[in-house]
Amino acid sequence: MDPIIQRELDRLDPDIPFRASTNHRHHTWAKTFHSRPELFIRPQSTIEIQKIITLARRCRRRLTVVGSAHSPSDLTCTSSWMVNLDDYNRVLSIDPTTGIVVLQSGIRLSTLREKLRENGLAMANLGSIDSQSIAGAISTATHGSSLKHGLLSDSVLSLRLTLANGRTVLCSAEQNTDLFRAALVSLGALGIIVEVSFRAVPAFDIGWHRSLRSLESVLEAWETDLWSQAEFVRVWWIPYAKRAVVWKADKTSKPRRAPRKSWFGRLFGLHAYQTLLYIAQWIPSLLPAIEWLVFGLQYGFRELSTTASAVEEGQAGLLMDCLFSQFVNEWALPLHKGPEAITRLSAWIHGDQKASGIPVSPRGVYVHAPVEVRVSDTSSRTTPRPYLDNTDPHGPTLYFNATLYRPYHADPPGRARYFEAFEYLMKEMGAKPHWAKNFQTLSHQDFRGMYASDLDEWTRARKDVDPEGMFVGDWHRRYVLPDDEEPFPLEEKEIGRSRDYTNGGVLVRSARARRDFSRQESQESFDVLQEAEAEKSVFLHQRVEVGDDDE
């Protein structure tokens, strides 16, 4: 450990653990991005988190908080200090009568599901996976697929955050509302979410049904009953076959019945598909035939020729196997624009650039299946709207998800042009990208146009609670912070990238914050910082109320 860090650490309470290691290698779940943090820290209590922040402030270091790292982007990459909350994962209280649950922010959704089930409760809505931490799911606007539900964070009643000055504050719809609206999609840039209070619902089972349909019939039913036929509906579009798999589910009291096992869901099927995609790295023109074979074996070769159904515990039934490493480019746009978006992208995929209206050549580009289509509706929510909510505030939202797999961690050859075309279409149609995914052609100016004053409000709230940029990295500067603004003192800047040939993906290197007072003694630095913190606390007192029990 750096001697300067050790010296400052020795000045803090030795009875409060500092659980740090120096040889951690970080990577996303998909191994798309890697980084080597200076310290990897795993706190187990709020007071340990406060100690980490105090030490980082004195040592002039940026902090990055990470959970499962399921986002395939470089949002969580750092060369400074990484804080992992996997050991900060207790359920603090559950009230089965009201459904109100209070928990530490590092708990994984999978663990939370089990704790809720033991008490006869469940999350009202869930995305396709449950490996994320609750804080990570909230901070990136995670959603499921239902017109009767919005974002997962719609169930959040309050949050506690430990800020850059070491104070822990409470925010909710009634208290520190601006901070609450910023923290509901915080992107990890406001502070460390340490506690979440949310409302669960009574546990439920779902009966689901899956069928293969022609793309034409799906588009015909779009404005009628496609999305309203059940509480939960999602569609997997198979582009070369011009078909789609429609999955729908409703709550039920029928006896549970397990789904029929398929070859695709087993180890052989998984590696068979991955191997075929790997071969297509060198012969991309095989992809339409691979799609026909693999999805035909899984879902049938004729419309409605194969259907499947089951009755399962609700939360388990909503999950989906993400298979293996992938790039994911998902955007949100008004639901009524879906048929146009699918028709134009389909034309481009099939080589008809003129009909698509996309000024990117499709020649030689082949894509993977499926393209996932999901929905939500936040237009009638009664809770405060997050500043960086990407859903349509005036009606139902469509999520359009272009996925490219990375078989055995090999990047697909057509990614750059496919995503360029896809993002052109999405931007032209007024869509907004999912914060945790792999968008590649955007800048701060694009997001400024998408969010306007809401981005200004988020930026203001962020700066109020972290004026030195302790939680700001290069990703934030590229996309959500003004590019003509002077960098914050603790802000981390990317200094280079290189291919990681051993593990696949890209290794990101950043310039960690240096001490501001290199010519002064540590105690002198500490005194100057304490004076600045005192001034800052007065400022924060005007903007952020501290809860009665936040001493």
Side-chain angles (χ1 to χ4, degrees):
M1 186 181 294
D2 187 322
I4 295 177
I5 299 174
Q6 187 62 58
R7 185 170 62 189
E8 293 294 350
L9 180 60
D10 291 342
R11 295 177 179 272
L12 298 175
D13 187 346
D15 292 331
I16 301 174
F18 184 67
R19 308 173 198 272
S21 60
T22 58
N23 59 353
H24 180 75
R25 183 187 184 92
H26 168 72
H27 63 76
T28 62
W29 168 83
K31 294 188 176 180
T32 45
F33 292 96
H34 305 251
S35 65
R36 295 190 178 99
E38 180 186 19
L39 292 181
F40 183 71
I41 314 168
R42 297 186 62 154
Q44 297 180 6
S45 65
T46 305
I47 197 168
E48 289 180 43
I49 292 173
Q50 292 170 333
K51 180 174 182 175
I52 293 166
I53 289 177
T54 298
L55 187 63
R57 187 174 65 247
R58 295 185 186 182
C59 295
R60 318 308 285 154
R61 295 297 199 272
R62 180 208 173 192
L63 293 178
T64 300
V65 182
V66 65
S68 66
H70 209 278
S71 166
S73 78
D74 61 330
L75 173 60
T76 57
C77 288
T78 182
S79 296
S80 188
W81 294 4
M82 180 171 286
V83 180
N84 176 269
L85 299 180
D86 280 351
D87 295 334
Y88 185 76
N89 60 359
R90 292 192 301 118
V91 174
L92 302 177
S93 66
I94 296 181
D95 188 332
T97 303
T98 64
I100 296 177
V101 183
V102 182
L103 46 101
Q104 293 177 332
S105 59
I107 192 169
R108 299 291 181 97
L109 298 184
S110 55
T111 303
L112 175 59
R113 285 200 306 112
E114 292 303 313
K115 297 292 186 182
L116 293 176
R117 183 180 58 81
E118 292 169 3
N119 288 271
L121 297 172
M123 299 177 68
N125 191 20
L126 196 63
S128 297
I129 60 173
D130 63 357
S131 60
Q132 316 102 307
S133 68
I134 185 70
I138 292 169
S139 297
T140 53
T142 297
H143 60 88
S145 189
S146 171
L147 290 185
K148 295 186 178 181
H149 301 280
L151 303 179
L152 266 63
S153 62
D154 286 358
S155 298
V156 172
L157 302 175
S158 66
L159 298 170
R160 289 187 189 274
L161 291 87
T162 300
L163 307 178
N165 66 352
R167 299 168 69 220
T168 298
V169 300
L170 176 70
C171 58
S172 66
E174 295 78 29
Q175 184 173 342
N176 298 320
T177 307
D178 287 351
L179 180 61
F180 188 55
R181 294 183 65 189
L184 284 173
V185 184
S186 73
L187 305 176
L190 276 70
I192 299 180
I193 297 174
V194 295
E195 187 178 292
V196 179
S197 175
F198 80 99
R199 190 180 301 279
V201 299
F204 58 89
D205 287 352
I206 58 169
W208 61 259
H209 180 273
R210 185 186 70 207
S211 61
L212 179 68
R213 300 171 58 178
S214 69
L215 180 61
E216 181 182 10
S217 69
V218 168
L219 296 181
E220 287 175 353
W222 195 278
E223 297 291 351
T224 55
D225 66 343
L226 176 65
W227 300 107
S228 60
Q229 61 184 308
E231 181 172 354
F232 304 97
V233 182
R234 53 191 173 201
V235 171
W236 296 289
W237 169 32
I238 307 172
Y240 291 112
K242 295 187 177 180
R243 291 174 178 158
V245 177
V246 178
W247 184 96
K248 60 181 181 179
D250 273 313
K251 293 171 184 172
T252 183
S253 58
K254 294 180 180 179
R256 291 183 184 177
R257 177 169 47 84
R260 179 175 59 86
K261 295 291 185 181
S262 69
W263 77 278
F264 188 68
R266 296 173 181 170
L267 189 62
F268 173 77
L270 178 71
H271 283 289
Y273 187 37
Q274 191 166 195
T275 299
L276 289 171
L277 291 181
Y278 190 77
I279 294 171
Q281 296 284 99
W282 286 272
I283 315 175
S285 59
L286 290 175
L287 285 171
I290 292 171
E291 176 197 280
W292 174 84
L293 175 64
V294 171
F295 287 88
L297 289 171
Q298 173 69 358
Y299 301 115
F301 291 96
R302 295 191 305 271
E303 182 181 352
L304 298 177
S305 61
T306 300
T307 60
S309 62
V311 177
E312 297 184 279
E313 185 270 322
Q315 306 283 265
L318 292 172
L319 299 178
M320 187 186 85
D321 187 351
C322 288
L323 301 182
F324 41 86
S325 177
Q326 57 198 249
F327 290 109
V328 185
N329 201 338
E330 181 179 75
W331 291 58
L333 67 161
L335 179 62
H336 67 85
K337 294 185 177 183
E340 178 188 349
I342 291 176
T343 301
R344 291 178 62 184
L345 186 61
S346 179
W348 189 87
I349 289 172
H350 286 271
D352 191 344
Q353 182 181 351
K354 182 177 180 180
S356 73
I358 301 173
V360 179
S361 173
R363 184 181 297 275
V365 177
Y366 293 87
V367 307
H368 295 165
V371 176
E372 187 178 39
V373 186
R374 294 183 288 172
V375 294
S376 74
D377 192 348
T378 63
S379 60
S380 60
R381 66 152 59 101
T382 57
T383 55
R385 181 176 177 84
Y387 288 128
L388 298 186
D389 185 344
N390 65 352
T391 61
D392 182 359
H394 307 297
T397 295
L398 164 72
Y399 298 98
F400 205 22
N401 185 356
T403 297
L404 287 174
Y405 290 103
R406 302 178 66 242
Y408 302 110
H409 300 113
D411 291 348
R415 174 170 64 102
R417 210 150 21 113
Y418 179 35
F419 281 3
E420 180 185 359
F422 180 68
E423 292 182 14
Y424 175 88
L425 175 62
M426 293 294 97
K427 286 188 285 187
E428 186 181 70
M429 298 190 70
K432 299 174 183 176
H434 189 301
W435 290 108
K437 304 302 170 68
N438 293 112
F439 44 84
Q440 66 178 31
T441 65
L442 300 180
S443 67
H444 172 261
Q445 291 305 316
D446 291 308
F447 284 103
R448 183 71 180 79
M450 294 173 187
Y451 288 91
S453 61
D454 280 339
L455 182 57
D456 293 337
E457 290 300 309
W458 183 88
T459 303
R460 177 193 59 75
R462 200 222 67 78
K463 191 172 183 179
D464 280 356
V465 295
D466 181 25
E468 289 196 298
M470 179 181 286
F471 299 96
V472 172
D474 196 87
W475 188 97
H476 301 104
R477 181 61 65 186
R478 291 200 307 268
Y479 299 123
V480 294
L481 296 179
D483 46 19
D484 58 352
E485 177 185 72
E486 186 72 17
F488 295 108
L490 302 187
E491 182 177 334
E492 193 176 20
K493 288 289 293 180
E494 183 179 311
I495 59 173
R497 295 186 173 202
S498 59
R499 296 294 303 175
D500 189 315
Y501 294 101
T502 303
N503 298 282
V506 174
L507 177 65
V508 179
R509 302 185 307 280
S510 304
R512 62 181 176 86
R514 301 293 181 181
R515 286 177 55 82
D516 297 15
F517 307 96
S518 57
R519 293 176 179 265
Q520 294 176 285
E521 294 296 325
S522 173
Q523 187 60 48
E524 291 178 309
S525 304
F526 173 63
D527 290 343
V528 172
L529 285 171
Q530 283 290 75
E531 183 178 349
E533 289 159 13
E535 295 176 0
K536 186 163 48 180
S537 294
V538 172
F539 174 73
L540 283 171
H541 183 69
Q542 299 171 1
R543 303 296 292 265
V544 181
E545 297 179 16
V546 182
D548 294 339
D549 53 352
D550 290 336
E551 298 299 325

